[in-house]
């Protein structure tokens, strides 16, 4: 098991203090917007709601309402054939109403978790912030 960056150079990850794994940090600042900030809801008046709902299925803003946002970590996995990694998001993020969509990562995959913001405010994540822990497992084949 090794960890690589996007340039295929070997890197080391800090051992997690809470879980038996390695801490994953952000590669760049990221903003995860709230569904409340979706343009569909801008200026919605209760009296205009029936008119706004006529094109409900065809509204492009509404189709993007709960699309998960990718969070870049610049960590690539180099695992043995029978290994895989589980991503456990940081408790701070889940307390802020962020919901992780993808948990399992395999060999030669970039660790790029996807989050949906289920809160009422957008969430700012800073470069270098710990977003979760990678736990390496061995599968019985």
């Amino acid at each position: 098991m090794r960890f690589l960056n996007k340039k295929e150079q070997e890197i080391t990850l800090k051992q997690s203090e809470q879980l038996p794994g390695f801490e994953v940090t952000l590669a760049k600042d990221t903003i995860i917007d709230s569904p409340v900030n979706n343009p569909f809801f801008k200026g919605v008046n209760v009296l205009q709601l029936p008119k706004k709902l006529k094109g409900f299925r065809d509204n492009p803003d509404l189709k993007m309402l709960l699309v998960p946002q990718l969070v870049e970590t610049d960590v690539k996995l180099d695992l043995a054939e029978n290994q895989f990694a589980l991503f456990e998001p940081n408790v701070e993020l889940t307390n802020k109403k962020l919901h992780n969509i993808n948990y399992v990562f395999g060999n030669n995959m970039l660790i790029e978790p996807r989050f949906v913001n289920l809160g009422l405010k957008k969430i700012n994540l800073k470069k270098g912030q710990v977003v979760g822990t990678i736990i390496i497992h061995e599968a019985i084949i």
Side-chain angles (χ1 to χ4, degrees):
M1 162 195 60
R2 296 185 316 158
F3 300 108
L4 309 171
N5 62 13
K6 284 187 175 180
K7 297 176 184 174
E8 300 292 327
Q9 299 166 334
E10 190 168 347
I11 59 173
T12 58
L13 298 179
K14 183 180 173 188
Q15 192 81 27
S16 175
E17 295 176 10
Q18 287 85 21
L19 295 171
F22 302 93
E23 290 182 348
V24 179
T25 57
L26 282 177
K28 65 179 186 177
D29 291 349
T30 306
I31 296 173
I32 302 179
D33 212 4
S34 169
V36 176
N37 294 333
N38 189 295
F40 178 80
F41 297 113
K42 300 283 186 212
V44 171
N45 183 341
V46 177
L47 298 174
Q48 296 174 341
L49 200 55
K51 184 184 272 186
K52 194 142 180 122
L53 291 177
K54 278 187 179 176
F56 191 70
R57 291 183 186 202
D58 299 327
N59 189 313
D61 294 327
L62 211 52
K63 288 180 182 178
M64 299 298 292
L65 187 62
L66 293 174
V67 172
Q69 183 165 342
L70 180 82
V71 175
E72 292 184 31
T73 64
D74 286 346
V75 177
K76 185 176 180 181
L77 296 170
D78 184 19
L79 303 172
E81 185 178 312
N82 64 337
Q83 292 179 327
F84 64 97
L86 291 179
F87 177 79
E88 183 60 35
N90 193 344
V91 175
E92 289 177 17
L93 299 180
T94 55
N95 287 344
K96 292 180 179 180
K97 308 280 194 251
L98 283 182
H99 178 69
N100 185 26
I101 301 299
N102 54 340
Y103 288 94
V104 181
F105 295 93
N107 191 27
N108 291 325
M109 289 181 72
L110 282 171
I111 299 172
E112 293 180 328
R114 297 175 192 276
F115 288 97
V116 173
N117 184 352
L118 300 177
L120 299 176
K121 298 178 181 176
K122 66 181 175 183
I123 296 174
N124 295 318
L125 303 174
K126 301 291 181 195
K127 179 179 179 178
Q129 179 178 351
V130 177
V131 290
T133 303
I134 282 291
I135 304 167
I136 307 299
H137 289 279
E138 290 195 21
I140 300 172
I141 301 174

